[in-house]
Amino acid sequence: MFTEDNSYSHHITNYKDEHGNSYTLEWYTDRTEDLILTNIWVKPEYRGKGFGNKILCLAEEAAKLGCFKRLFVKVAGLTWQNDWYRRHGFEFFETDKYDNSYIWRVKQIKD
């Protein structure tokens, strides 16, 4: 799916709110229209209160502002997280080529 060698530049940006909830966005210079969302973290005392949904919306807005067309996530296939991303509009893209218990999901951000 994404470049595993070091021939392309890899960029990372991190977001953290005032409660310590966070996410990471990653992109590669060989895939200028794609953004990868990783490391969504909601502190246990804030779970089930909409913070994850808020963080996901912020990540999607960052993707739109950055002129990316697609937002990707890699998630374990048989988990509540997989269902959560599906409910938020992320469609199946492919099974991870390095670990088939994980899948890539994608959400179209812009046409």
Side-chain angles (χ1 to χ4, degrees), residues 29-102:
T29 55
D30 66 324
R31 298 182 66 97
T32 58
E33 296 181 342
D34 298 334
L35 190 62
I36 308 165
L37 173 61
T38 63
N39 303 324
I40 285 184
W41 173 252
V42 176
K43 291 177 81 173
E45 61 266 29
Y46 296 107
R47 292 180 185 165
K49 298 178 181 175
F51 282 86
N53 296 335
K54 177 184 171 189
I55 287 173
L56 186 56
C57 286
L58 290 171
E60 290 178 18
E61 286 301 314
K64 289 176 187 173
L65 290 172
C67 297
F68 293 96
K69 290 187 177 181
R70 301 186 300 178
L71 183 60
F72 284 89
V73 294
K74 180 179 167 183
V75 61
L78 299 174
T79 62
W80 68 265
Q81 293 96 336
N82 182 35
D83 292 335
W84 183 73
Y85 284 115
R86 182 187 46 75
R87 286 193 311 271
H88 283 85
F90 285 80
E91 299 176 356
F92 175 81
F93 185 73
E94 69 182 11
T95 301
D96 185 68
K97 65 182 177 180
Y98 299 105
D99 184 345
N100 65 9
S101 66
Y102 284 84

Side-chain angles (χ1 to χ4, degrees), residues 1 16 28 53 81 103:
M1 168 73 200
K16 190 172 194 177
Y28 296 83
N53 296 335
Q81 293 96 336
I103 63 170

